[in-house]
Amino acid sequence: MPADGDDDLVRLAQSGDFDAFGLMQGLMGGESRFHAVFLAPLTPGLQAHIAAFLKDGSGPLAALPQQLQAQGVPEPLVAARQLLQQAQGLLVVVLGQDQGITTIPQLFHGHLAPAMIDQAVSACGPEFAHGPALRQALTDLASSLGQGQFPHLIAGPGVEDVREAWLDLAAGCVQSAEALALPGTSRERQTDLAWAIAAALIALGGQYTVDEIDLLVRCQLLAGEAAAAGQGLDVLIRAGVLKDEDLIDTLHAFVDGALAAGQATPAAQWLDGHLDAWEAITGPSYDLALAALRLHAAAGSPALLPAAQRLTARNRKLARQDLTREPIWRVLDPPGDLLDTNAAADLLGKSTTAIAKRLESRTMPWHEADGRIRIPRQAAEAWKAALTATNCWD
């Protein structure tokens, strides 16, 4: 992290008119305790939000000028652009709770002046009983700037070994994701935390146990990094660790992570290249085949046909249900030609009414663009070929 500060931001913080840290905070309810604080690079999601705002004022940060104006900052639009342009990373306060951990992510501008430390402590709320411990950790970080870099800039009451500290955060992050339904910004905050943890563990390198690899994989999946998670998934399956429900849960997370990250096509191709080797260990697996099918469906891929045939070979009855009733057919990748209901009916040899019913139930390929739901030609053709070959077309 660069050590040079921004004097204007320091003066704003010292004046009491500008809460640089509090702009991005959002606390969960319930009693909490100070766990740790770390400095990290800007996450990919936040970088995209900043880029959108700086380009045309759009995106999740669009309300920032109004927030600054409410705090009495003159020329709030100029101040907002300055704030985001000069952001060099994130300072993340981690709070422990019964359900795991939550965070207060805060923009970091290269320094931890006393006024900024004051703001970070106050951002935890008036009922936060661990202000002295947080203040000490922030002071420790301030003294470390210029001497280390991510992922070594982490501090807290229990932080002695950096690797163990990040593994502890990984366990808390996974526990939180499993225990809580995190809507809206809370979910995005959890995604950003998972990204930082995974990046830290990869940067630290070295040897990890199977259980630690499992934590890393789950954090990568939470962060939407399916391709990276696949490498760890391969290690876990070859080690014989993932079986039965654990395998099913991890495969669901792998697919969901790939879809959330818009990586359906590369994830499908990657998984195809590992299915045979994995089934040599697990035996013929319907769940592995279903994971591949879901990815190919989302990709609108011509390889849907062999994926459907593989699924049917594993369990014909379940395959018919998943192919004809399970709503897995949203095409996320660039779909090529898009058809309306009438054109799709002509292409597929079905009535317009039949296609309209399928589209309404989302049991055929569909894609949403410009607020409209339409049918990708390539995906529809692959879908018909797959259902015909598996005797599911009627």
Side-chain angles (χ1 to χ4, degrees):
M1 294 287 180
D4 293 335
D6 175 15
D7 292 338
D8 291 336
L9 287 168
V10 175
R11 284 195 294 271
L12 282 169
Q14 290 172 334
S15 72
D17 294 330
F18 175 61
D19 185 355
F21 282 126
L23 285 170
M24 301 187 63
Q25 65 113 346
L27 293 172
M28 291 174 60
E31 185 177 352
S32 60
R33 59 191 179 276
F34 173 52
H35 190 89
V37 60
F38 64 84
L39 294 171
L42 295 171
T43 67
L46 183 54
Q47 289 184 54
H49 297 337
I50 290 175
F53 180 87
L54 293 178
K55 179 181 179 181
D56 55 21
S58 65
L61 297 177
L64 184 56
Q66 288 76 22
Q67 295 176 30
L68 292 172
Q69 186 174 30
Q71 293 182 21
V73 176
E75 300 187 71
L77 179 58
V78 174
R81 293 184 65 85
Q82 178 191 29
L83 177 73
L84 296 177
Q85 285 173 331
Q86 296 182 6
Q88 298 176 10
L90 287 173
L91 184 144
V92 182
V93 177
V94 184
L95 305 178
Q97 295 188 323
D98 292 340
Q99 304 92 342
I101 58 177
T102 186
T103 62
I104 307 174
Q106 310 164 12
L107 287 177
F108 176 66
H109 293 87
H111 59 84
L112 284 172
M116 295 298 186
I117 292 178
D118 290 341
Q119 291 287 354
V121 175
S122 65
C124 292
E127 303 300 322
F128 186 60
H130 304 279
L134 173 56
R135 186 178 298 278
Q136 182 60 56
L138 289 165
T139 302
D140 292 342
L141 281 185
S143 64
S144 298
L145 293 178
Q147 301 175 26
Q149 58 185 358
F150 177 80
H152 295 279
L153 295 175
I154 181 170
V159 176
E160 296 181 1
D161 180 85
V162 170
R163 179 192 293 264
E164 290 301 318
W166 283 106
L167 286 170
D168 190 34
L169 291 184
C173 182
V174 170
Q175 181 188 1
S176 300
E178 292 174 348
L180 300 175
L182 298 169
T185 56
S186 293
R187 181 176 295 278
E188 184 165 351
R189 192 174 301 119
Q190 195 78 8
T191 297
D192 287 345
L193 174 62
W195 179 87
I197 292 169
L201 293 175
I202 292 297
L204 289 171
Q207 295 295 315
Y208 290 99
T209 68
V210 169
D211 288 342
E212 291 166 352
I213 292 172
D214 181 59
L215 285 176
L216 172 58
V217 168
R218 292 180 186 276
C219 286
Q220 288 170 322
L221 291 172
L222 288 171
E225 296 187 325
Q231 302 295 332
L233 186 60
D234 184 46
V235 172
L236 296 176
I237 290 179
R238 291 179 185 275
V241 173
L242 292 179
K243 297 178 181 178
D244 303 325
E245 291 300 319
D246 286 339
L247 177 61
I248 294 171
D249 290 345
T250 305
L251 286 171
H252 278 309
F254 176 77
V255 175
D256 291 345
L259 301 187
Q263 298 177 10
T265 294
Q269 294 170 345
W270 190 92
L271 187 56
D272 282 349
H274 290 77
L275 285 176
D276 289 341
W278 287 357
E279 286 196 328
I281 298 167
T282 66
S285 171
Y286 184 84
D287 297 300
L288 283 172
L290 181 59
L293 179 87
R294 288 182 62 201
L295 290 170
H296 283 295
S301 166
L304 182 67
L305 174 56
Q309 290 172 324
R310 187 182 195 109
L311 189 74
T312 303
R314 299 297 175 267
N315 189 314
R316 181 173 295 276
K317 182 178 179 179
L318 286 179
R320 182 174 182 85
Q321 176 177 318
D322 286 319
L323 287 167
T324 60
R325 284 181 258 170
E326 190 71 20
I328 59 176
W329 296 104
R330 182 177 186 178
V331 178
L332 300 176
D333 286 0
D337 292 340
L338 294 171
L339 309 175
D340 61 21
T341 305
N342 291 329
D346 291 340
L347 174 70
L348 300 171
K350 293 284 187 180
S351 70
T352 300
T353 300
I355 294 298
K357 287 182 177 179
R358 289 273 195 178
L359 198 57
E360 183 178 3
S361 63
R362 301 295 191 262
T363 53
M364 71 173 295
W366 61 279
H367 180 76
E368 183 174 5
D370 301 324
R372 296 181 60 191
I373 302 295
R374 290 186 290 175
I375 301 163
R377 176 189 293 274
Q378 176 178 286
E381 291 174 334
W383 172 70
K384 179 179 180 180
L387 266 61
T388 299
T390 55
N391 296 318
C392 294
W393 184 258
D394 51 28

